[in-house]
Amino acid sequence: MNKHSEAKKPVSDRRKFILNMAKGAGYAAIGGFIWSAYLDEAKASPLILRPPAAIKEDEFLKTCIKCGLCVEACPYDTLMLAKPGDHRPVGTPFFTPRDTACYMCEDIPCVPVCPSGALDESSVTTNDKLDINSARMGLAVIDENSCIAFWGIQCDACYRACPILGQAITIEYDKNERTGKHAFLKPVVHADACTGCGMCEHACVTQKASIFILPREIAMGKAGSYYIKGWDKKDESRLKDAHAIHTKTNLSRKKAVDKLNAGFEGLLDE
């Protein structure tokens, strides 16, 4: 080997080093773009239904290690592991009731195998036994405009498909004033019993399901702690240590009769 070739060797090594660094930076950038796309994809779809006993979504995403054990344990292929293009956080379990609902296994095999706590076994345990009826995967919501039962056509497909027959969904009879001789058989969902299994959505006979499952956080409203159910002893017990707050205004100092006699203009003067 001559002196010239020896002199060139370090330059070649430096070139290779620089090229490898550039490649590495390129791969990292591509990986960053892909991961960013996954995150954007995940954020674009908040309507995700999780397995039974899943903790709140924000904590679920932090806790789930994306091992797929719950998906593997599901005997009905209900659960799926999100992949790129599913518009869900990649690697996390979910199910689509219209395709395959949760079949409410009594032993809930998908829950005990979770190693991270993303599926909280205690939330579906009653008297030291697993209780699938206590699961709250979501809540069934009915679109009364497209549900044919609200048109007057007899249909109780969702009611019959419900695993908790007569509790999560009941049928309400109402007179059909249009015909004068028929009755509406309207399905009614009860949030305190519905598990969100999706059997009703899967069974719905309309082209696009008129009853569908939404995450409970989206499907349900919130009255606020300042409203009390006077007929519910448990809820009314919240008043035990409550203190009344009296707000005084110019208007409140007057008697109710005086305020009524003041008329609209008198109220404006206040």
Side-chain angles (χ1 to χ4, degrees):
M1 184 178 293
N2 57 36
K3 293 181 180 180
H4 295 290
S5 62
E6 288 179 356
K8 289 181 180 178
K9 186 175 180 181
V11 176
S12 178
D13 289 343
R14 282 198 299 272
R15 246 180 230 160
K16 286 180 181 178
F17 176 75
I18 293 170
L19 286 172
N20 288 335
M21 286 288 289
K23 287 179 182 177
Y27 292 147
I30 293 171
F33 287 137
I34 294 172
W35 181 245
S36 176
Y38 289 169
L39 289 178
D40 290 341
E41 180 181 53
K43 291 175 183 175
S45 180
L47 306 178
I48 304 173
L49 297 176
R50 300 298 187 188
I55 58 180
K56 289 187 176 181
E57 182 66 13
D58 55 345
E59 292 301 319
F60 181 87
L61 292 175
K62 298 175 186 176
T63 309
C64 176
I65 61 174
K66 304 171 181 61
C67 62
L69 289 176
C70 57
V71 176
E72 186 178 346
C74 179
Y76 294 102
D77 294 329
T78 297
L79 294 179
M80 300 177 67
L81 211 60
K83 60 185 183 299
D86 283 338
H87 302 289
R88 296 169 176 86
V90 176
T92 60
F94 72 98
F95 72 104
T96 308
R98 191 60 165 166
D99 297 330
T100 310
C102 172
Y103 284 84
M104 302 271 285
C105 306
E106 290 186 9
D107 57 347
I108 327 179
C110 59
V111 175
V113 297
C114 178
S116 68
L119 303 182
D120 179 15
E121 189 171 339
S122 65
S123 70
V124 287
T125 301
T126 304
N127 298 325
D128 297 325
K129 291 184 178 180
L130 288 172
D131 178 17
I132 187 60
N133 289 347
S134 63
R136 294 294 180 266
M137 294 168 273
L139 180 64
V141 176
I142 300 172
D143 176 14
E144 297 181 3
N145 290 311
S146 58
C147 175
I148 59 174
F150 285 81
W151 294 7
I153 298 174
Q154 186 171 342
C155 178
D156 59 0
C158 58
Y159 169 77
R160 294 294 174 189
C162 181
I164 313 177
L165 191 65
Q167 296 180 50
I169 300 178
T170 56
I171 296 295
E172 179 183 274
Y173 294 86
D174 195 12
K175 184 179 179 181
N176 188 336
E177 298 291 349
R178 188 180 72 252
T179 64
K181 56 183 179 180
H182 299 103
F184 290 107
L185 277 66
K186 301 176 181 178
V188 178
V189 176
H190 302 276
D192 57 340
C194 178
T195 66
C197 69
M199 293 291 283
C200 55
E201 180 177 342
H202 184 68
C204 183
V205 300
T206 57
Q207 183 176 349
K208 181 180 179 182
S210 299
I211 183 169
F212 42 87
I213 309 300
L214 292 176
R216 295 178 79 89
E217 297 79 16
I218 294 174
M220 298 183 72
K222 188 175 182 179
S225 60
Y226 35 80
Y227 289 107
I228 303 293
K229 298 175 183 176
W231 62 92
D232 186 334
K233 290 184 178 179
K234 184 179 179 181
D235 195 45
E236 195 175 23
S237 65
R238 293 192 287 123
L239 289 172
K240 185 178 179 181
D241 300 318
H243 300 283
I245 299 175
H246 299 283
T247 303
K248 291 290 184 180
T249 64
N250 291 333
L251 187 62
S252 65
R253 291 190 179 96
K254 292 184 177 181
K255 293 181 180 180
V257 175
D258 294 334
K259 285 186 284 187
L260 290 172
N261 290 334
F264 184 68
E265 292 181 359
L267 292 175
L268 289 178
D269 293 336
E270 300 294 337

